[in-house]
Amino acid sequence: MRLSMLKNTPTPKTTNTGMEIGTSTRIASRNTRTRIVSAAGVRNTATMTTRTLLTANTRVTLTKKNTERTRLRRRSLPHIKKEPFDTHSFAPKVVHEDAIKKAPVKRPKDDSDDEPFSSKLEMMKKVKLEKPHEKPLEKKAKKRKAEDDKKPRIKEEPTDKKKKKKEEPEQKWKWWEEERYTDGIKWKVLEHKGPVFAPAYEPLPDNVRFYYDGKVRKLSKSAEEVATFFGKMLDHEYTTKDVFRKNFFKEWRKEMSHEERSVMTNLSKCNFNEINEYFKTKSEERKNMSKEEKLKIRQENESIVKTYGFCLMDGHREKIGNFKIEPPGLFRGRGDHPKQGMLKRRVRPEDVIINCSKGSNIPQPPTGHRWKEIRHDNKVTWLCSWTENIQGQVKYIMLNATSRIKGEKDWQKYEMARNLKGVVDKIRSQYREDWKSKEMRIRQRAVALYFIDKLALRAGNEKEEGETADTVGCCSLRVEHIKLHPELDGQEFMVEFDFLGKDSIRYYNKVSVEKRVFKNLQLFMENKQSGDDLFDRLNTAILNKHLQELMDGLTAKVFRTYNASVTLQQQLKELTNPDDNLAAKILSYNRANRAVAILCNHQRAAPKTFEKSMANLQTKIDAKREQVLLTRREVKSAKADYKVRRDEKFRKIVENKRKTLERLEEQLMKLEVQATDKEENKQIALGTSKLNYLDPRISVAWCKKWIVPMEKVYNKTQRDKFAWAIDMADDDYEF
DNA sequence: ACCCAGACTTAGGAGGTGGAAT
DNA sequence: ATTCCACCTCCTAAGTCTGGGT
């Protein structure tokens, strides 16, 4: 049937931006194996996209001649003062009409500026109650709400299979129907129980021994704890890496007693095997616990979540995202991280700052301890913070994605991207103009923006050398990261990108660009060494400053959101066939999702069991196919019988056989779709784009339009996170 | 004018879990 | 009942961007 068609669907052609793209190939060096995967999906292109993916279990290190690196990581560039919006607006503030219509309601910024704080609060309260300036969106929402109110409220919670009896009885708060704070205040009341600390160190039992140079050695408590961090990781590749071992050993020695330090001078002489075994056994034991024990542990966890996992914010009980403080351990930086293996110190209450509202119940520190500080800052969203010792970064405890505070922000993000939709054509024609500018900095800015727009590259902030892995984004690209080919694979003006991006994920792509871009790149690279910055007159601050002038609130990352969402919408439009059955529709959805993941370079390591489970699936398919064939023959013969003996009994038999065949064929088709989907998805991570880049209202609308159950597209967590969109978007929603 | 800390979003992997397959 | 595997949740690193201080 249509399966063969599905399997080889040529890449959809789309032309929303009117830009051409060549072959896009990405390589993530992983294992030693190379596979070729063709995936459905590209955007902005009339060419077929073929992807080549090499996988690996580890992140890649591009060979780089550090010695050649002449560039200065920190440049001082002329700073352009930030102008208030309007004065330089490139795009007259024609915000897309649709966007205005649907934009979240915002109170004018300064409408109560001279009010004293307290009366502002009063007003805010009133606003929340009265909703004075209602906009279309709100009306719509309100209307829906009114309808809802007629129905019994309980219907909200589709009794999630009787298994989980204690589903939250409280009805969900529709924060999206309320007014928002606009003056930088994030909350008025905040109360919580503080963080949960990592469990104290439990010394090893005496039968678990550590050996140095072949001899048993009892370690001091602090040295032992750090040794267990390493011992636990023995099976991990990290422990074989030089940098990791070197950093670890250096830090471990600091925790050793004087004597230990003088004796243990060589990590290679340390034997952690028994420690490693011990933890393996322990986790095995945990797995083999009886039902009762497991239940008990679960209940304990649940009770912790109940007290520490929620906070009270502005009268609503909200879920906290990460209420546990990170336990001590060895730092696992990604890629070629210079600090990998360093000791991540245990966080004590004395390191923790508590943020809550004045007059609320301040969380109790563990007995015998005190907090570093109690703060009442309602201009920020975090509840607790501490400074981590590896990079000196502040870490936070914040709310879950389902919370009002995160949800509003998320919604706002998509509205910003929709605003961009209204001005993107103008921005595009401007940067094309700028390719011809007399000024180098403007040309660089324009070419960089072109890459960000066309290839969905990240902005690329500067990073401090030696502190982190060497990764880049658009503005921080170096000459060594691109190759220019006047002609390649039969196409003109090809640029070959090869660099490590965020998380040291390799970005490899060959793109045909416009001639002007190509010429500009040649110019930018003139007289430069491979380690020099490609855009030496540009950084993210300059770029974002420029974008700010083109559209209020516009920054580089908005392009990623915009292009991702637009691509999804378009691909869904193109790939969805109304006559398809449910499975095929979902495949189309996944393919649309996949096109975005490819665009954004969201990769994953191929699952360890991939080959095997693929083979299993194939076996099933073969068996099913066999069955189909068999049944087909049976139908035939039954028909023949009926022809000869025209009686009711035989007619029934034919009927039954035919039904069986139909069922089997459908099952087969389902399996085949599944296999296709799986194969195409081998090294592509769909989750990241789904969670962070795709306007959920597009997916919601698609589900509603094609009567696809929402659960097929969003799991429970995702449905919770996108509750606002599910409630809000109708089947005709347009991004 | 510039730097940097701080705040918040985005990211992939580890490991747990629960339901399907045997 | 046991095993297997897919999916989900948790975890925390690594980005982006803002804004305050000097």
Side-chain angles (χ1 to χ4, degrees):
Chain A
M1 1 188 347
R2 281 191 6 280
L3 257 173
S4 49
M5 205 188 83
L6 279 175
K7 273 217 146 142
N8 298 312
T9 316
T11 303
K13 292 167 189 169
T14 58
T15 45
N16 82 311
T17 59
M19 294 195 298
E20 79 303 323
I21 284 193
T23 350
S24 120
T25 318
R26 254 149 239 182
I27 297 178
S29 114
R30 307 220 148 156
N31 297 339
T32 36
R33 234 164 346 117
T34 308
R35 308 206 103 234
I36 298 188
V37 180
S38 90
V42 205
R43 101 199 148 105
N44 304 343
T45 161
T47 16
M48 167 135 179
T49 288
T50 327
R51 299 178 73 248
T52 310
L53 283 163
L54 318 188
T55 28
N57 292 323
T58 51
R59 272 154 235 272
V60 197
T61 317
L62 289 184
T63 40
K64 189 192 61 204
K65 293 127 245 160
N66 269 315
T67 42
E68 282 179 21
R69 194 98 59 79
T70 50
R71 68 204 206 86
L72 276 168
R73 292 276 176 145
R74 305 220 205 148
R75 286 151 298 179
S76 36
L77 284 151
H79 182 86
I80 310 146
K81 190 179 168 275
K82 198 168 177 175
E83 295 289 339
F85 173 65
D86 276 322
T87 34
H88 287 70
S89 202
F90 152 78
K93 296 204 290 179
V94 212
V95 183
H96 199 219
E97 194 192 74
D98 198 40
I100 295 176
K101 210 166 46 195
K102 304 202 178 168
V105 183
K106 223 174 175 172
R107 291 176 59 225
K109 259 211 163 96
D110 37 4
D111 65 353
S112 60
D113 252 357
D114 1 321
E115 303 269 350
F117 184 62
S118 56
S119 76
K120 248 190 204 175
L121 288 190
E122 273 313 300
M123 213 192 125
M124 199 66 87
K125 254 185 235 159
K126 270 189 215 150
V127 165
K128 287 216 172 190
L129 288 172
E130 294 164 10
K131 303 191 183 175
H133 20 252
E134 202 166 85
K135 295 207 176 156
L137 168 77
E138 263 208 333
K139 276 190 194 143
K140 206 173 172 185
K142 206 173 165 191
K143 197 178 113 207
R144 198 171 298 128
K145 199 184 174 192
E147 281 164 10
D148 283 354
D149 286 344
K150 281 178 224 153
K151 302 176 210 152
R153 265 320 201 156
I154 322 109
K155 245 196 98 192
E156 287 274 286
E157 275 302 303
T159 27
D160 227 302
K161 287 174 204 168
K162 282 134 226 169
K163 290 218 167 165
K164 283 182 188 169
K165 279 158 200 165
K166 30 190 180 169
E167 278 296 304
E168 60 276 57
E170 349 133 31
Q171 41 175 275
K172 284 181 188 151
W173 172 39
K174 297 190 175 186
W175 51 258
W176 50 94
E177 291 176 355
E178 303 207 11
E179 274 291 338
R180 306 204 323 230
Y181 295 117
T182 52
D183 39 9
I185 283 171
K186 304 291 169 64
W187 45 264
K188 280 182 283 178
V189 178
L190 173 60
E191 185 170 302
H192 58 91
K193 298 283 187 208
V196 171
F197 288 90
Y201 177 64
E202 271 182 49
L204 294 171
D206 287 335
N207 63 337
V208 179
R209 288 155 306 179
F210 166 80
Y211 302 84
Y212 184 77
D213 208 6
K215 290 185 275 293
V216 176
R217 174 168 264 282
K218 174 77 188 162
L219 297 171
S220 65
K221 193 178 168 192
S222 65
E224 185 190 278
E225 179 176 10
V226 178
T228 64
F229 297 155
F230 194 86
K232 274 177 194 172
M233 291 178 71
L234 240 42
D235 298 324
H236 203 289
E237 207 202 341
Y238 272 121
T239 57
T240 64
K241 293 190 181 172
D242 267 4
V243 182
F244 189 93
R245 294 174 67 89
K246 212 178 116 249
N247 284 334
F248 160 70
F249 197 56
K250 192 172 157 199
E251 303 248 318
W252 187 28
R253 286 175 57 79
K254 288 186 207 157
E255 303 299 315
M256 291 177 186
S257 68
H258 195 72
E259 198 255 334
E260 285 167 335
R261 192 159 38 238
S262 67
V263 175
M264 303 199 286
T265 50
N266 184 352
L267 179 57
S268 306
K269 292 185 177 173
C270 296
N271 178 344
F272 300 91
N273 286 334
E274 287 191 16
I275 297 178
N276 185 250
E277 285 304 315
Y278 171 68
F279 286 106
K280 272 189 195 154
T281 316
K282 269 192 114 177
S283 90
E284 203 55 40
E285 277 168 8
R286 225 175 306 123
K287 261 186 236 157
N288 296 330
M289 276 187 308
S290 70
K291 275 218 171 78
E292 296 73 37
E293 287 171 304
K294 277 185 181 166
L295 183 70
K296 203 179 144 212
I297 290 181
R298 177 174 323 165
Q299 284 171 342
E300 278 163 14
N301 284 340
E302 276 168 7
S303 105
I304 292 175
V305 172
K306 225 167 143 190
T307 43
Y308 294 96
F310 294 84
C311 74
L312 191 72
M313 186 176 272
D314 291 352
H316 295 273
R317 188 164 177 264
E318 299 251 50
K319 205 170 165 196
I320 297 170
N322 58 325
F323 56 88
K324 287 182 181 159
I325 286 195
E326 298 171 17
L330 303 182
F331 177 72
R332 296 150 95 116
R334 309 199 181 141
D336 234 356
H337 198 116
K339 299 197 169 186
Q340 63 190 103
M342 282 176 68
L343 176 63
K344 211 169 86 163
R345 222 195 45 214
R346 180 179 292 273
V347 176
R348 305 153 303 152
E350 286 71 15
D351 303 316
V352 175
I353 303 173
I354 299 291
N355 193 30
C356 60
S357 52
K358 271 182 203 154
S360 71
N361 283 320
I362 289 163
Q364 284 299 311
T367 41
H369 290 277
R370 39 190 212 80
W371 303 119
K372 179 180 184 184
E373 185 190 331
I374 311 283
R375 201 178 279 185
H376 309 290
D377 182 356
N378 71 351
K379 296 258 200 297
V380 296
T381 67
W382 53 267
L383 321 188
C384 307
S385 75
W386 71 93
T387 302
E388 151 269 347
N389 67 300
I390 305 283
Q391 327 240 34
Q393 291 177 86
V394 188
K395 299 263 189 168
Y396 304 93
I397 287 181
M398 290 183 182
L399 295 192
N400 183 268
T402 51
S403 63
R404 182 213 98 219
I405 219 154
K406 294 288 183 191
E408 267 179 8
K409 204 71 187 300
D410 205 39
W411 178 16
Q412 219 176 357
K413 171 182 78 187
Y414 292 112
E415 287 311 311
M416 184 64 74
R418 295 175 83 204
N419 286 351
L420 174 56
K421 188 183 182 183
V423 296
V424 75
D425 289 340
K426 216 154 189 173
I427 291 175
R428 284 174 179 157
S429 45
Q430 161 139 23
Y431 68 57
R432 299 169 68 88
E433 270 310 299
D434 287 348
W435 292 340
K436 298 180 259 179
S437 168
K438 279 174 295 232
E439 283 186 80
M440 183 60 120
R441 56 179 193 98
I442 291 179
R443 286 193 186 212
Q444 291 193 356
R445 196 179 69 192
V447 170
L449 185 50
Y450 169 73
F451 285 163
I452 283 171
D453 183 24
K454 178 180 167 120
L455 304 172
L457 300 190
R458 295 188 184 82
N461 284 310
E462 293 111 295
K463 307 169 70 184
E464 213 169 328
E465 205 167 358
E467 293 293 299
T468 58
D470 177 27
T471 62
V472 297
C474 185
C475 294
S476 50
L477 281 171
R478 299 192 295 263
V479 170
E480 63 195 306
H481 296 132
I482 65 167
K483 262 193 212 134
L484 303 181
H485 306 279
E487 211 200 303
L488 185 71
D489 307 332
Q491 284 180 290
E492 279 189 308
F493 310 123
M494 295 289 279
V495 183
E496 185 180 357
F497 292 83
D498 192 352
F499 61 88
L500 299 183
K502 181 176 180 180
D503 292 321
S504 292
I505 296 290
R506 188 177 186 186
Y507 182 93
Y508 182 82
N509 200 0
K510 285 184 237 167
V511 188
S512 143
V513 301
E514 296 189 34
K515 185 174 178 181
R516 273 220 168 79
V517 171
F518 195 84
K519 295 283 167 203
N520 271 315
L521 288 170
Q522 284 177 328
L523 177 70
F524 303 161
M525 289 164 78
E526 253 170 38
N527 302 320
K528 280 189 195 166
Q529 311 254 333
S530 74
D532 293 344
D533 282 342
L534 177 63
F535 302 116
D536 54 305
R537 309 292 301 274
L538 183 72
N539 63 25
T540 54
I542 295 171
L543 181 66
N544 281 334
K545 169 72 186 38
H546 173 65
L547 293 176
Q548 192 60 231
E549 286 162 7
L550 301 183
M551 186 188 106
D552 197 13
L554 186 61
T555 59
K557 85 186 187 79
V558 178
F559 280 86
R560 254 168 100 80
T561 313
Y562 160 74
N563 278 312
S565 288
V566 151
T567 303
L568 179 77
Q569 186 169 75
Q570 217 176 257
Q571 292 287 300
L572 283 177
K573 219 170 252 174
E574 262 181 56
L575 298 174
T576 312
N577 177 352
D579 304 329
D580 274 350
N581 63 18
L582 187 62
K585 286 212 179 83
I586 292 163
L587 176 63
S588 299
Y589 181 89
N590 287 339
R591 283 185 158 161
N593 192 168
R594 196 140 51 229
V596 175
I598 290 168
L599 172 69
C600 295
N601 201 35
H602 291 142
Q603 299 189 29
R604 63 164 184 179
K608 286 184 201 88
T609 54
F610 185 86
E611 299 303 335
K612 209 173 98 192
S613 72
M614 201 67 208
N616 282 348
L617 192 53
Q618 195 53 51
T619 315
K620 268 201 226 163
I621 290 175
D622 293 344
K624 193 66 77 181
R625 196 171 281 146
E626 196 60 36
Q627 247 180 312
V628 166
L629 253 49
L630 190 75
T631 315
R632 218 170 260 161
R633 254 177 269 142
E634 287 175 1
V635 169
K636 226 177 189 175
S637 77
K639 267 187 189 163
D641 287 350
Y642 176 54
K643 233 177 188 169
V644 183
R645 318 248 313 255
R646 301 221 147 239
D647 87 36
E648 183 60 9
K649 201 175 100 197
F650 283 92
R651 202 191 58 76
K652 270 258 163 72
I653 292 175
V654 173
E655 191 61 22
N656 284 341
K657 287 285 171 200
R658 198 179 273 153
K659 272 202 182 125
T660 312
L661 178 62
E662 244 169 61
R663 213 187 50 234
L664 285 171
E665 276 176 338
E666 184 162 335
Q667 285 170 348
L668 174 62
M669 147 117 184
K670 248 190 190 157
L671 284 173
E672 289 186 314
V673 165
Q674 204 186 328
T676 312
D677 207 14
K678 195 178 172 133
E679 180 65 43
E680 288 180 0
N681 228 26
K682 185 177 178 188
Q683 286 154 287
I684 299 170
L686 299 185
T688 306
S689 49
K690 196 183 267 189
L691 228 51
N692 299 301
Y693 289 103
L694 301 175
D695 183 343
R697 290 166 296 186
I698 299 169
S699 301
V700 170
W702 182 83
C703 284
K704 288 184 178 168
K705 182 165 178 189
W706 301 110
I707 335 232
V708 172
M710 206 74 72
E711 310 84 67
K712 299 288 179 190
V713 163
Y714 288 137
N715 67 32
K716 179 81 169 75
T717 324
Q718 293 162 341
R719 292 199 298 280
D720 286 345
K721 169 170 179 176
F722 298 133
W724 59 273
I726 293 172
D727 184 54
M728 212 183 288
D730 294 324
D731 61 358
D732 59 349
Y733 174 79
E734 275 272 335
F735 175 78

